[in-house]
């Protein structure tokens, strides 16, 4: 697809440029060294979910499964806090949900936009420590950085591990995490996981739950799958990316934004191959905005998957992106969007587009 035309000069006035500050940093100049203690300490909900609770989750009155999910997770949290697992009396619940069937955890199954991450973070906030919260990708990166046995030893001291966006598209990673979770369950760690379904799967979450329970094999008896219904995200579609800026405008924004980074997109992609994905968060330390020149389509799958991880870390930190080149909804070729990592790429597009829109405001 052809690249969209860059913003005309008049459109760029929507970005206010502050007085020139210190020269912007280059992410390509950074080679962070992250101790294991920090990797584990940073396993907390992202900033946008730092203050959520069960009370701030607003179930759709037309979706009883959302009410039931809240009650089941409140019961689960009560058990972690030493209670008997009974739910608190709340008059607005229509029915009483039973306690989680298995001793290990709950699996939240549903599409995009039904509030699974909100509920998962609410459970984390309600549970006693030590506890850890991370995406499936962050968990695999942690194992890669620490080594399997060290990861088992470190996480076995936790009461709860929350895994967001459990992914079944890489058999090797799925087996790795399934084995890790088995060891943690044996050591008394409680678990809660969420996942999204591939868009083309008929029946959406019903098949996701079956896939999840099959892939974790021996652990399936320990999980209670909870279906959370809601508006089908496929009807909402991905938002259009804002038009890219000129290189000159990107440089001007970087120069006028304290704490901004400025990089050539291609050079940044090359740099990511030399930095372990577990350190991508540290790569963004003290960065307030990301400015990129020459965004182009990414045709190599390994490079594309590294960009997905970086997009997640930028999204977690709510960093606006100002960029020139192709718009972010064209950054992955069509064949990748139809392949086995489709879900990852669609999530990255959605997040990159959202951050680009934040910059345009």
């Amino acid at each position: 697809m052809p690249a969209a035309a860059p913003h005309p000069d008049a459109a760029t006035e929507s970005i206010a440029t502050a007085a020139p500050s210190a020269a912007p940093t280059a992410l390509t100049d950074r080679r962070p060294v992250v101790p294991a203690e920090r990797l584990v300490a940073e396993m907390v909900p992202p900033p946008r979910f730092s203050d959520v609770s069960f009370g701030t989750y607003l179930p759709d009155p037309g979706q009883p499964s959302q009410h039931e999910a809240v009650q089941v997770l409140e019961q689960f949290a009560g058990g972690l806090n030493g209670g008997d697992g009974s739910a608190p009396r709340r008059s607005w619940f229509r029915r009483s949900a039973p306690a989680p069937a298995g001793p290990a955890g709950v699996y939240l199954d549903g599409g995009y936009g039904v509030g699974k991450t909100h509920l998962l973070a609410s459970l984390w906030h309600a549970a006693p420590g030590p506890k850890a919260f991370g995406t499936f990708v962050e968990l695999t990166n942690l194992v890669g950085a620490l080594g399997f046995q060290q990861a088992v030893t470190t996480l076995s001291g936790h009461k709860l591990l929350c895994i967001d966006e459990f992914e079944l598209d890489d058999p090797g990673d799925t087996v790795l995490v399934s084995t890790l979770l088995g060891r943690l369950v044996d050591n008394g760690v409680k678990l809660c996981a969420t996942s999204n379904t591939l868009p083309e799967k008929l029946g959406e979450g019903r098949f996701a739950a079956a896939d999840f329970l099959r892939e974790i094999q021996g652990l399936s008896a320990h999980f209670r799958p909870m279906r959370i219904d809601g508006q089908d995200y496929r009807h909402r579609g991905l938002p259009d990316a804002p038009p890219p800026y000129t290189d000159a405008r990107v440089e001007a924004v970087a120069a006028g934004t304290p704490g901004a980074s400025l990089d050539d997109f291609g050079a940044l992609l090359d740099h990511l191959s030399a930095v372990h994905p577990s350190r991508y968060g540290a790569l963004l330390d003290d960065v307030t905005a990301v400015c990129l020149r020459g965004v182009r389509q990414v045709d190599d799958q390994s490079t594309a998957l590294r960009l997905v991880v970086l997009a997640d870390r930028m999204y977690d930190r709510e960093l606006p992106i100002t960029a020139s080149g192709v718009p972010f909804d064209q950054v992955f070729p069509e064949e990748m969007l139809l392949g086995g990592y489709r879900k990852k790429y669609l999530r990255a597009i959605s997040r990159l587009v959202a951050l680009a829109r934040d910059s345009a405001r």
Side-chain angles (χ1 to χ4, degrees):
M1 289 184 287
H7 281 276
D9 291 342
T12 64
E13 295 305 319
S14 63
I15 294 184
T17 304
S21 59
T25 186
L27 299 180
T28 52
D29 290 338
R30 296 184 167 196
R31 289 166 176 78
V33 176
V34 183
E37 295 78 12
R38 173 175 169 177
L39 291 176
V40 177
E42 289 184 341
M43 293 190 71
V44 299
R48 65 184 66 236
F49 295 105
S50 61
D51 297 317
V52 300
S53 66
F54 294 125
T56 62
Y57 179 79
L58 302 177
D60 183 340
Q63 302 291 348
S65 63
Q66 295 185 13
H67 293 273
E68 184 177 8
V70 174
Q71 190 171 18
V72 166
L73 290 179
E74 285 186 323
Q75 292 173 351
F76 191 59
L80 292 170
N81 280 293
D84 60 6
S86 61
R89 297 183 180 275
R90 298 177 69 164
S91 60
W92 52 273
F93 282 121
R94 297 181 179 178
R95 55 179 171 149
S96 176
V106 177
Y107 169 67
L108 303 179
D109 168 35
Y112 291 102
V114 298
K116 298 189 306 301
T117 301
H118 186 135
L119 289 172
L120 188 67
S122 298
L123 172 64
W124 187 90
H125 288 302
K131 52 193 175 181
F133 182 109
T135 65
F136 180 88
V137 172
E138 288 176 305
L139 188 59
T140 58
N141 289 339
L142 180 72
V143 175
L146 300 184
F148 182 82
Q149 190 54 52
Q150 181 60 36
V152 170
T153 300
T154 300
L155 294 175
S156 289
H158 289 62
K159 294 184 178 180
L160 173 69
L161 173 61
C162 294
I163 309 168
D164 201 18
E165 299 171 351
F166 202 102
E167 299 177 356
L168 302 174
D169 50 18
D170 188 311
D173 283 347
T174 302
V175 170
L176 173 70
V177 173
S178 177
T179 305
L180 173 67
L181 297 185
R183 296 284 294 277
L184 296 181
V185 167
D186 289 345
N187 289 324
V189 181
K190 303 300 182 181
L191 309 171
C192 188
T194 75
S195 182
N196 294 316
T197 338
L198 289 173
E200 66 272 17
K201 281 202 171 182
L202 182 65
E204 196 201 342
R206 292 177 180 83
F207 288 102
D211 289 344
F212 175 82
L213 296 176
R214 182 187 68 248
E215 293 297 337
I216 62 174
Q217 299 175 7
L219 283 177
S220 60
H222 297 291
F223 275 88
R224 171 178 180 168
M226 281 295 306
R227 169 72 182 169
I228 306 179
D229 296 302
Q231 181 185 3
D232 189 337
Y233 74 97
R234 288 171 294 184
H235 298 311
R236 297 200 294 267
L238 288 171
D240 293 331
Y245 294 92
T246 63
D247 285 352
R249 186 58 182 171
V250 171
E251 293 164 1
V253 170
T257 305
S261 65
L262 175 63
D263 291 273
D264 291 314
F265 186 68
L268 179 58
L269 294 181
D270 291 341
H271 184 60
L272 293 180
S273 67
V275 178
H276 192 277
S278 66
R279 301 176 182 176
Y280 287 4
L283 196 67
L284 299 166
D285 281 353
D286 302 319
V287 173
T288 62
V290 174
C291 297
L292 298 171
R293 288 179 298 226
V295 173
R296 58 169 174 79
Q297 195 170 79
V298 180
D299 299 314
D300 175 71
Q301 186 159 269
S302 295
T303 304
L305 291 173
R306 286 191 287 267
L307 178 59
V308 168
V309 177
L310 182 66
D312 287 342
R313 301 292 78 76
M314 291 190 293
Y315 187 77
D316 289 345
R317 289 158 176 77
E318 301 179 317
L319 300 177
I321 303 175
T322 304
S324 64
V326 303
F328 283 117
D329 56 4
Q330 298 176 24
V331 75
F332 301 116
E334 190 67 21
E335 56 267 27
M336 282 188 175
L337 297 181
L338 297 175
Y341 295 112
R342 170 182 173 86
K343 184 181 70 174
K344 283 184 170 74
Y345 297 139
L346 290 177
R347 183 181 76 231
I349 289 173
S350 177
R351 292 182 169 186
L352 290 169
V353 167
L355 297 176
R357 288 186 173 276
D358 288 345
S359 175
R361 295 194 185 102

